[in-house]
Amino acid sequence: MKRPGAVSAGECPMLKKVRIAIKTTQRELATSLFHQKQVGEVSSDPSTIELMMEGRYHDDGTRVTISYKEGELTGMKDARTSISFQKSEPHLVTMTRDGTARTAMIFEAGRRHLCIYQTPYMPFELAVATKKVQNRIEENGTLHLVYTAEIKGANGQYTDFTMTLLPDLGKPLGT
């Protein structure tokens, strides 16, 4: 079944307003990704944030991008987050953030990627080790990521992230 808003070969690119539900559960870890150690036991109680927001869904036939503005609850007020993937590689997801803090993270199950987390004060090296990528955006509008991120010199943070595009995808922008 073709997901509402998806573009078939030969169709025009589509940019739509979307409603997005995000649930993120995080826990602090006691081990380090930078020292190549196995991610171990969780060392803190989980904190969960659930958000609903409006965003944009863009499908150009080969790449899907979902973008939204962060709010105060996430600690990244006025930042814009974009999640994208090539349709030919849905298991490889990129998340970029622009605003006060900027970064580009790559999520690929079973892999560890390094990136830079740029803040107003200084840049930090960030390691992201992904355990799970379950990308069903085109099938049922869901993306599930399980990963650990660590800024060098700080404890890692285990994250379970689920984004759901709600069935009411709205009209193409500009119409």
Side-chain angles (χ1 to χ4, degrees):
M1 179 177 129
K2 184 174 151 185
R3 175 85 181 136
V7 177
S8 299
E11 289 184 32
C12 296
M14 186 67 60
L15 179 62
K16 290 185 158 193
K17 286 184 179 179
V18 293
R19 289 187 314 133
I20 303 168
I22 294 178
K23 181 178 180 181
T24 304
T25 300
Q26 296 181 321
R27 294 180 180 146
E28 191 173 310
L29 297 174
T31 59
S32 173
L33 295 174
F34 284 94
H35 296 103
Q36 303 291 332
K37 293 179 184 175
Q38 185 75 18
V39 174
E41 293 297 315
V42 173
S43 64
S44 70
D45 291 331
S47 66
T48 299
I49 297 175
E50 294 187 55
L51 304 168
M52 293 279 289
M53 65 201 70
E54 187 175 281
R56 294 177 177 215
Y57 177 96
H58 182 253
D59 182 342
D60 68 6
T62 60
R63 183 172 200 75
V64 172
T65 302
I66 298 136
S67 61
Y68 55 91
K69 280 192 173 184
E70 297 279 355
E72 288 185 38
L73 283 176
T74 65
M76 293 177 274
K77 186 176 187 256
D78 297 327
R80 175 158 296 280
T81 298
S82 295
I83 296 172
S84 62
F85 60 92
Q86 293 285 351
K87 289 180 156 199
S88 61
E89 297 182 296
H91 59 279
L92 184 62
V93 175
T94 302
M95 179 186 290
T96 59
R97 287 208 169 104
D98 290 310
T100 306
R102 298 184 317 270
T103 192
M105 296 181 280
I106 298 170
F107 302 96
E108 184 178 14
R111 302 285 312 267
R112 180 178 74 103
H113 292 275
L114 298 177
C115 64
I116 300 296
Y117 191 82
Q118 183 72 45
T119 71
Y121 310 105
M122 66 185 296
F124 295 95
E125 190 174 15
L126 179 71
V128 178
T130 306
K131 181 177 180 181
K132 181 180 190 177
V133 174
Q134 191 174 48
N135 184 349
R136 294 201 170 113
I137 290 292
E138 293 194 282
E139 297 164 31
N140 64 13
T142 62
L143 173 66
H144 185 205
L145 303 172
V146 177
Y147 63 94
T148 300
E150 177 189 346
I151 291 176
K152 194 167 190 173
N155 283 344
Q157 194 167 49
Y158 170 90
T159 301
D160 189 317
F161 172 93
T162 301
M163 175 174 44
T164 304
L165 301 182
L166 301 172
D168 178 19
L169 288 179
K171 297 179 181 177
L173 295 175
T175 60

